[in-house]
Every structure is written in structure tokens, then in C-alpha cells.
Amino acid sequence: MSENDASLPPAVALLARPGAARDRLREALVQAGVALVLEEDPDALDPATLIALAPQAVVIALEPAVEAALERLDDALSSPAFTLVFDEAELAARREGWETQRWARHLAAKLHGHREVLPPGAEIEEDLQIEPGMPDTPAQLHVDAPLDFHLDEAVDAADLLAGDSLYEAPAQWQEPQTLEQALAANLPEADAPATPVDAGAVVPPPLADHSRWALLDEDAAPAAVSRQTAAPPALPVFDSAHLSLVDMDDTPPGTGPRRGARGAVVVLAGIGGPDALRRLLAALPSALDVPLLVRMPLDGARYGNLVKQMARVSPLPVLLAETGADVLEGHVYILSDDTATALRDGGLQFESRPQGLELARLPPGESAVILLSGADLLQVDPALTLAEAGAWVGGQVGEGCYDPAAATAVVAAGMFAGEPQELAQAISARWARPEQGEAQ
């Protein structure tokens, strides 16, 4: 690409049905400063036209009416030359005021490949005065500093310092003695007078003459010692007359076979998340020993549309989580607002709770958390707490992450950082299932 091509605005195609959503997206693209090369209804678009225009990015307004058209355009949209940006048509139509401005700034950052998402005037400006030459040395900085105070302080402390003469120990101090000298000093002298013994004191008996001690012969046992062999205790009688088989159906709770997965990989996303999630799922292998739970709040709760979109690029089956169903390995589940998980009989199962998914309820040693673009900041502390207990946590970085607040927070705490494809590789390295015929 030449220098002139790099300075040109990116070419963008807008695919949306006529209406308020299309008008709002067009206004956002105009504010983003891009070259709008195509604006068309997906139902009327020819795939060859889109390929011939070769835009750098394609913005798509998702709604149920365009599902069939997007399936028809799937081969063209799957081209790696396109950057796909999805937006809910119903959400785009209702967007007004500062939400419109905020969306336009994030859209501009994604399409232009930068991270300037703050409104004008919010940037931090540093007043730098650059001057030529080498910086001043410490001697130059203190050349005019007064020294009288330090000289007076040195004179006052001179008497407290050690002199130049050799050190002489005080007369009352003695050189240290060896152990032999200390023991010899405590022994009584041979011709010293005997110390008188108090009549009332208890004198210990003298030790016997140890010069005649000898080892005891094992065969010569003292005759005076008589051994009496005690009778062994009677063994308990095992009653086998009342034995019976346990009914296999009467299994106590908690001891049955595990059906759900032991842990899960939770994927948290928000604004900009569909594109990052698409790249993450497309880079996964066709078999995993762990399920993926995707939590991405959508206005209008159109999670069925998200399932269809991600099923086109994911090698793993993509399903909408259902209350009461087991969480199975090797599946991608899209979670609604009130979908949560519970650990039963050693495996995870979906249940319904008003607060939705809680990271604290996941087994940390068998789970992971991935924070993509737009993830909720309130999930940072639970994710780091789960990491301290043994879970793997990663955050999205790079040009495609234009709402990086939560992902940057976990990366700053020392967690794994990478593009969606790199996050998928890290998950595959730990939970990829060997292909058939491959050595276990």
C-alpha cells in the first residue's frame, strides 16, 4: 500500500433495510469520516457486487427479516478481506443523543484502526518544553547551593566519630575461652578441700563401677523372670445370615454419575463483542473438552439471532442455553439475561436466576474467563477472584478492541493478553480434544 493509499479514508459498505436503523448507521458512518461505497438492502444485494467493490469493512444491521439474505451472502461475507461490524437494527433505531455520538466514536476507532474514543476536549495534553543539549549533571544542579550548614553539622558530629588509633578493649573484658577451657575451669581440683555436705540434703547414690560392664548374652535370660502368655482375644463372629443386595435405583443424592461438564470457559462481551466473538469462535478446534458460555447482553434479547450468526463461523455447535439442561463439553452456549449455572452431581447444569450468571459459582480449577470488547467492568473483580483460586483468565487487546476497559483491567493485573485468535489458541492448548486416530 502506498503512502497516498494509507491516507485515504477506509471504504465501507452498509447493509441494512430502509428505515430508521439504516438512517442512524449512515449518520454514524458520515461522522466517522469513512468512504461509503455501498448502501443496500441485503435482500437485494448481489454477492458479486460486494466482492467487486472490495470494501475494507461491512456494517450490517441485524434483524429477523435479513436472516435468509445473510445466509445467501455468507460466502462473500466470510472473506478475510472484510472487517464485519454487526449492530442490532432495533437498538440502532432507538439510539439518540450522546449514545449516538459515543457509538460514532467507537465505530470510527474500529474502522480507522485507532483507540481515540474520548469526546473532543477530553484528551490529556502535556506541556512539554523540548530543549536541545544534554541534561544537567548533579554537580551542575548544585553548583550554587550553600554549604555552610553542612560544614557546621560536620564539625558538631566530629567528636562522635571513631579516631585513627588502634582499638583497645576495656580491662574488665576478657578474651573468649574455648569449650575445653570452660570445662576445665568447672572441674574440682585434686587437692582442693572437700565441700561439707548438709545433713538434711539428699545425696544421690554413687554410680556403679562401669569398668566391668558387658553386653548381655541373648541366650542367657534371667531365670527369675517368668513370662505368662496371655490368651488371644476371641474374634468377632460375622453374621452372614441377614445379607442382602442394594437396589441399584436407590442411589443416594450426589453419588450418581456425572452428566454435565466439570467446568466451563465463560466469554464476556458487549459493544463490539459480536465481531470479536466471531473471530474467537472461528479459531477454535472442532472438538473441546470444555463448554463455552457466552454472556453478551443484547437490547431486545434477540439471542436467537446471535446463535444463528455465530453458528455460521463456529466449528463447534452453537446453542441457546435452556434451563434444566446439562452443560456439555464441546458446545457453545449463548446465555440469556437470567441464565445461570449450578454444580450438581459433579457436573454443571443450567438454571434460572434473576441475577444471571455468577462467576463465583464456577469450579475455578476447571474453568476460564475471557473478557472481550465491551465486557462489563463489574465482572473484573469476580474474574480476578476466580483467577486467584486457580482459574485461567484472559483479556482482548489490539485494534479490534475499541471498548477495552474491562479487558485492560485484567491484563493490567497480570492476566493473559491477546487478540481473539490468540485467546482461542490458549484455550485450545489446554482443552483441545485429540482428533480421531491421533495418539492420546
Side-chain angles (χ1 to χ4, degrees):
M1 179 182 293
S2 64
E3 183 177 354
N4 293 333
D5 295 337
S7 61
L8 295 176
V12 179
L14 173 60
L15 304 183
R17 298 179 64 202
R22 181 167 166 176
D23 296 339
R24 295 291 186 275
L25 290 175
R26 184 192 313 111
E27 295 172 1
L29 290 172
V30 171
Q31 295 181 22
V34 302
L36 189 59
V37 298
L38 177 65
E39 181 179 343
E40 188 59 87
D41 186 342
D43 293 326
L45 178 63
D46 184 7
T49 303
L50 182 63
I51 296 176
L53 291 173
Q56 296 173 247
V58 180
V59 179
I60 304 174
L62 295 177
E63 54 181 321
V66 300
E67 289 295 332
L70 294 180
E71 292 180 1
R72 179 175 56 84
L73 299 171
D74 185 58
D75 293 338
L77 295 176
S78 299
S79 173
F82 298 157
T83 297
L84 298 183
V85 179
F86 297 97
D87 192 12
E88 289 285 338
E90 182 179 354
L91 175 61
R94 298 200 313 262
R95 196 177 289 129
E96 295 179 356
W98 70 269
E99 292 184 355
T100 304
Q101 300 296 329
R102 180 173 179 267
W103 168 252
R105 292 193 302 271
H106 283 278
L107 186 60
K110 183 173 185 61
L111 297 178
H112 287 278
H114 60 74
R115 298 186 179 182
E116 299 177 3
V117 296
L118 297 178
E123 298 85 358
I124 300 177
E125 298 182 357
E126 297 183 359
D127 187 13
L128 298 179
Q129 300 294 334
I130 302 177
E131 297 180 358
M134 298 292 292
D136 293 336
T137 63
Q140 293 172 337
L141 294 175
H142 300 87
V143 65
D144 297 328
L147 300 178
D148 295 341
F149 171 77
H150 300 286
L151 293 176
D152 295 340
E153 186 178 9
V155 172
D156 295 338
D159 296 337
L160 303 177
L161 300 178
D164 295 336
S165 60
L166 296 177
Y167 173 75
E168 294 182 0
Q172 65 273 19
W173 289 6
Q174 299 179 359
E175 292 294 331
Q177 295 179 333
T178 63
L179 177 62
E180 291 78 3
Q181 293 174 342
L183 293 176
N186 293 329
L187 294 176
E189 298 181 0
D191 52 354
T195 304
V197 180
D198 189 3
V202 178
V203 179
L207 295 175
D209 184 6
H210 61 272
S211 61
R212 297 183 180 181
W213 288 359
L215 295 177
L216 179 64
D217 190 357
E218 293 182 356
D219 296 333
V225 179
S226 61
R227 298 182 179 179
Q228 296 180 357
T229 304
L235 297 176
V237 179
F238 183 74
D239 186 7
S240 61
H242 298 84
L243 295 178
S244 62
L245 297 176
V246 178
D247 191 355
M248 295 296 293
D249 295 335
D250 297 338
T251 305
T255 60
R258 179 182 61 84
R259 296 179 297 177
R262 292 187 297 269
V265 176
V266 178
V267 182
L268 304 174
I271 295 178
D275 181 54
L277 179 61
R278 175 178 174 273
R279 295 160 57 193
L280 173 73
L281 297 183
L284 290 175
S286 59
L288 279 179
D289 283 332
V290 67
L292 270 73
L293 310 181
V294 179
R295 182 71 180 95
M296 184 168 60
L298 297 175
D299 288 349
R302 297 184 180 274
Y303 296 104
N305 295 342
L306 185 60
V307 171
K308 296 178 181 179
Q309 293 296 327
M310 298 305 154
R312 296 193 182 101
V313 299
S314 173
L316 300 173
V318 183
L319 305 172
L320 184 63
E322 298 181 1
T323 301
D326 295 326
V327 185
L328 303 179
E329 295 95 340
H331 291 69
V332 180
Y333 295 96
I334 306 298
L335 274 58
S336 57
D337 297 338
D338 59 349
T339 303
T341 60
L343 193 63
R344 293 189 177 92
D345 295 332
L348 291 176
Q349 190 179 73
F350 289 118
E351 67 177 15
S352 179
R353 286 198 299 270
Q355 63 271 28
L357 180 67
E358 296 179 80
L359 299 180
R361 292 177 175 264
L362 294 174
E366 302 290 339
S367 301
V369 181
I370 297 177
L371 288 86
L372 299 179
S373 175
D376 192 352
L377 275 171
L378 296 179
Q379 297 288 0
V380 172
D381 287 341
L384 295 179
T385 301
L386 201 67
E388 293 178 357
W392 184 93
V393 176
Q396 179 188 356
V397 296
E399 297 180 355
C401 186
Y402 59 91
D403 189 4
T408 303
V410 297
V411 171
M415 301 296 106
F416 184 87
E419 294 275 357
Q421 297 90 330
E422 296 173 334
L423 295 170
Q425 293 173 2
I427 294 300
S428 302
R430 180 172 179 179
W431 281 293
R433 184 179 301 170
E435 300 291 342
Q436 294 184 357
E438 184 177 345
Q440 298 290 333

